[in-house]
Amino acid sequence: SQKIEQNSEALNIQEGKTATLTCNYTNYSPAYLQWYRQDPGRGPVFLLLIRENEKEKRKERLKVTFDTTLKQSLFHITASQPADSATYLCALDSSYKLIFGSGTRLLVRP
Amino acid sequence: SAVISQKPSRDICQRGTSLTIQCQVDSQVTMMFWYRQQPGQSLTLIATANQGSEATYESGFVIDKFPISRPNLTFSTLTVSNLSPEDSSIYLCSVGEGGLDQPQHFGDGTRLSIL
């Protein structure tokens, strides 16, 4: 069956450290993978998109990798700040729509 | 990027009634989508709202339960009909800039609770 898996346990890290979130998928062949941030009571906000032929994409303190062999994307936040605390969702394209993972909650301690 | 206004932000409804959720965008957009997000769960696509034609529903969602209108390129409504406790959820509108190689932009959702 098709699955997108993100760690359901919250990731708790110290301010200044690098946060690494994982998105694994099974039985999909996405051409694109997207990452979104969602704060409580708010809709998801787009962060980054990476294509299947791109190994890595960066935007300021954010970095995304995409390994189509491992069927995995990693999302990194360097020099993390308490304001980075949120739930992070990955999403991939399947046919004509986006399929979302259930998200990983990140907590950055001051 | 597009600014999306969704109303109401929350509501508490009686069983058997219906709720209509509005989604207004500040610019014309090609693609508009309706999602459901149950607590602690991922977003599930309900349907794609097509301007001038019937919405395209995903498996498990039917027009009689979730009628959708899209009268123009900036506005859509989702109605959740014959409400039951299982319909308690967050309903989100999103817009796309084109294909799936483009980001989607979301409203802040409507939190629906059923008494």
Side-chain angles (χ1 to χ4, degrees), chain A residues 35-52:
Chain A
W35 283 87
Y36 290 78
R37 167 182 174 144
Q38 187 172 25
D39 291 284
R42 306 300 298 272
V45 174
F46 171 77
L47 297 174
L48 280 169
L49 179 148
I50 187 165
R51 292 172 166 75
E52 62 177 337

Side-chain angles (χ1 to χ4, degrees), chain A residues 32-34 36 38 40-47 49 51 89 92-103, chain B residues 31 33 35 37 40-43 45 48 56-59 92 99-109 111:
Chain A
Y32 316 102
L33 197 141
Q34 303 186 25
Y36 290 78
Q38 187 172 25
R42 306 300 298 272
V45 174
F46 171 77
L47 297 174
L49 179 148
R51 292 172 166 75
L89 308 170
L92 53 79
D93 67 292
S94 176
S95 300
Y96 56 89
K97 61 187 179 185
L98 277 184
I99 309 296
F100 284 82
S102 56
Chain B
M31 310 294 287
F33 306 94
Y35 288 86
Q37 186 176 31
Q41 303 295 315
S42 63
L43 283 76
L45 181 64
T48 301
T56 304
Y57 289 85
E58 296 301 309
S59 176
L92 293 142
L100 291 173
D101 61 338
Q102 300 297 319
Q104 288 189 17
H105 302 286
F106 286 81
D108 282 336
R111 184 179 294 272

Side-chain angles (χ1 to χ4, degrees), chain B residues 73-94:
Chain B
L73 292 175
T74 64
F75 186 77
S76 178
T77 66
L78 168 73
T79 299
V80 189
S81 303
N82 190 22
L83 290 166
S84 68
E86 294 71 38
D87 297 320
S88 294
S89 191
I90 299 171
Y91 294 86
L92 293 142
C93 164
S94 81

Side-chain angles (χ1 to χ4, degrees), chain B residues 3-8 19-35 46-57 66-79 91-96 110:
Chain B
V3 176
I4 300 123
S5 300
Q6 199 173 326
K7 293 181 184 178
L19 176 71
T20 296
I21 302 166
Q22 298 181 0
C23 180
Q24 178 74 55
V25 191
D26 68 343
S27 59
Q28 293 187 342
V29 292
T30 306
M31 310 294 287
M32 292 184 79
F33 306 94
W34 287 98
Y35 288 86
I46 297 171
T48 301
N50 301 308
Q51 193 264 329
S53 65
E54 195 171 284
T56 304
Y57 289 85
F66 299 99
I68 288 170
S69 78
R70 184 153 180 214
N72 55 52
L73 292 175
T74 64
F75 186 77
S76 178
T77 66
L78 168 73
T79 299
Y91 294 86
L92 293 142
C93 164
S94 81
V95 302
T110 296

Side-chain angles (χ1 to χ4, degrees), chain A residues 9 13 26 29 34 47 75 78-79 86-87 89 93 97:
Chain A
E9 288 185 19
I13 65 168
T26 306
S29 298
Q34 303 186 25
L47 297 174
F75 177 80
T78 58
T87 297
L89 308 170
D93 67 292
K97 61 187 179 185

Side-chain angles (χ1 to χ4, degrees), chain A residues 37-96:
Chain A
R37 167 182 174 144
Q38 187 172 25
D39 291 284
R42 306 300 298 272
V45 174
F46 171 77
L47 297 174
L48 280 169
L49 179 148
I50 187 165
R51 292 172 166 75
E52 62 177 337
N53 61 351
E54 297 175 318
K55 291 272 193 250
E56 182 180 296
K57 200 83 169 278
R58 291 176 185 260
K59 179 183 175 182
E60 298 173 353
R61 294 184 296 112
L62 309 180
K63 184 178 84 171
V64 172
T65 63
F66 191 8
D67 189 324
T68 55
T69 301
L70 291 179
K71 297 187 180 297
Q72 179 181 80
S73 175
L74 299 178
F75 177 80
H76 307 271
I77 306 176
T78 58
S80 61
Q81 305 165 1
D84 295 325
S85 298
T87 297
Y88 291 86
L89 308 170
C90 69
L92 53 79
D93 67 292
S94 176
S95 300
Y96 56 89

